[in-house]
Amino acid sequence: MEVQGFADGRFGPVRQCFAEILAAQPGTGAAFAAWCDDRLVVDLWGGYADLGRRRPWGADSLVQPYSVSKPFAAVCALRLVQAGRLDLDAPVQQYWPGFRAPATVRHVLSHQAGVVMLDRPVPTEAFYDWDWLCSLLAAQAPAWEPGTAHGESALFYGHLVGELVRRVDGRSVGRFLAEEICGPAGLDFAFGLSPSQQARAVDLTGLDDAFRAGSAAGRPALYQLSIAPGGPRRSPPSTATEPRRRWPASTAP
């Protein structure tokens, strides 16, 4: 399919490179944008948005961005810090009684809390049940003493930060983000999609067993556990493997 969008004259090679990538990759399409000196200088998209290759990728297509969602969750917590309602150096237990890891709010936000995995396998359904998964995280012993090391909480950062937001503010992190951050700023970004937003969502492809095995090859055991709760055979849900409306509708970051 033809590449849509524009690239500033200075970035002509970017359009060509994007076209080559788009032509070579299987599955759904792609999009790329870049800002320079406070200006949008590249905004490109192309390919198909669905697995059946019937729906073209559009300018308003929505994509699950994986870890790009983490800063959005963090901004929600930092807005509460700015308002004096959340203390970065307070223990998490001050806001979340029963949270086992002796971590501070700062530790959670900066990936130092050590809550990066679950000791036992959990069913996929746990990812759609906010309270259930948060209770599992609260009971989880940290993989290291909080504050002594860094390690990305790849699958659970949104729940850890989002639950702090919910306990302090009363709103879910998805609702807080919509009402306090993205709505006022005019950002087309959300945790949990409405039916109309789901109609614009892109199917993800390529996240098969071979991709996961290649990503985990040569990595320490803790890495493998942190991206597959309870062990490598247990994987998080994705829009490529789960019912189309179930995962996108989830409010989990």
Side-chain angles (χ1 to χ4, degrees), residues 217-238:
R219 304 277 190 142
L222 181 58
Y223 172 85
Q224 298 185 39
L225 291 171
S226 72
I227 63 171
R233 290 175 296 177
R234 200 58 88 152
S235 299
S238 76

Side-chain angles (χ1 to χ4, degrees), residues 35-85:
W35 288 72
C36 181
D37 296 330
D38 297 322
R39 290 195 308 114
L40 182 64
V41 295
V42 178
D43 189 11
L44 303 169
W45 63 91
Y48 294 94
D50 64 320
L51 292 170
R53 299 172 71 86
R54 293 183 296 270
R55 182 165 51 96
W57 194 302
D60 64 346
S61 290
L62 296 175
V63 182
Q64 203 276 71
Y66 284 85
S67 288
V68 173
S69 64
K70 290 180 172 67
F72 285 86
V75 164
C76 292
L78 292 173
R79 179 61 62 86
L80 294 174
V81 172
Q82 183 182 47
R85 302 173 63 191

Side-chain angles (χ1 to χ4, degrees), residues 13-242:
V14 175
R15 185 185 187 97
Q16 180 59 36
C17 180
F18 180 79
E20 293 172 0
I21 292 173
L22 194 63
Q25 71 177 26
T28 48
F32 176 80
W35 288 72
C36 181
D37 296 330
D38 297 322
R39 290 195 308 114
L40 182 64
V41 295
V42 178
D43 189 11
L44 303 169
W45 63 91
Y48 294 94
D50 64 320
L51 292 170
R53 299 172 71 86
R54 293 183 296 270
R55 182 165 51 96
W57 194 302
D60 64 346
S61 290
L62 296 175
V63 182
Q64 203 276 71
Y66 284 85
S67 288
V68 173
S69 64
K70 290 180 172 67
F72 285 86
V75 164
C76 292
L78 292 173
R79 179 61 62 86
L80 294 174
V81 172
Q82 183 182 47
R85 302 173 63 191
L86 184 64
D87 184 351
L88 287 173
D89 295 310
V92 172
Q93 291 96 329
Q94 179 174 318
Y95 308 101
W96 188 347
F99 191 81
R100 182 175 177 181
T104 66
V105 174
R106 189 185 300 274
H107 290 152
V108 169
L109 285 170
S110 59
H111 294 284
Q112 298 182 73
V115 184
V116 297
M117 54 169 279
L118 295 174
D119 286 334
R120 59 187 178 88
V122 297
T124 299
E125 285 70 24
F127 281 86
Y128 306 113
D129 189 320
W130 184 271
D131 292 335
W132 182 8
L133 191 53
C134 284
S135 69
L136 294 172
L137 293 172
Q140 177 63 44
W144 60 80
E145 182 182 349
T148 64
H150 287 81
E152 183 186 11
S153 187
L155 302 182
F156 308 122
Y157 187 85
H159 287 81
L160 295 170
V161 177
E163 182 65 3
L164 283 169
V165 170
R166 188 189 70 82
R167 287 176 177 267
V168 171
D169 181 77
R171 288 175 286 182
S172 70
V173 66
R175 182 180 169 192
F176 187 99
L177 180 71
E179 296 178 353
E180 301 293 338
I181 310 296
C182 291
L187 299 177
D188 192 11
F189 188 95
F191 293 149
L193 303 183
S194 67
S196 62
Q197 289 173 317
Q198 289 180 41
R200 295 191 284 131
V202 170
D203 294 335
L204 299 180
T205 55
L207 303 178
D208 53 18
D209 290 340
F211 174 84
R212 292 192 174 95
S215 298
R219 304 277 190 142
L222 181 58
Y223 172 85
Q224 298 185 39
L225 291 171
S226 72
I227 63 171
R233 290 175 296 177
R234 200 58 88 152
S235 299
S238 76
T239 54
T241 58
E242 293 300 309

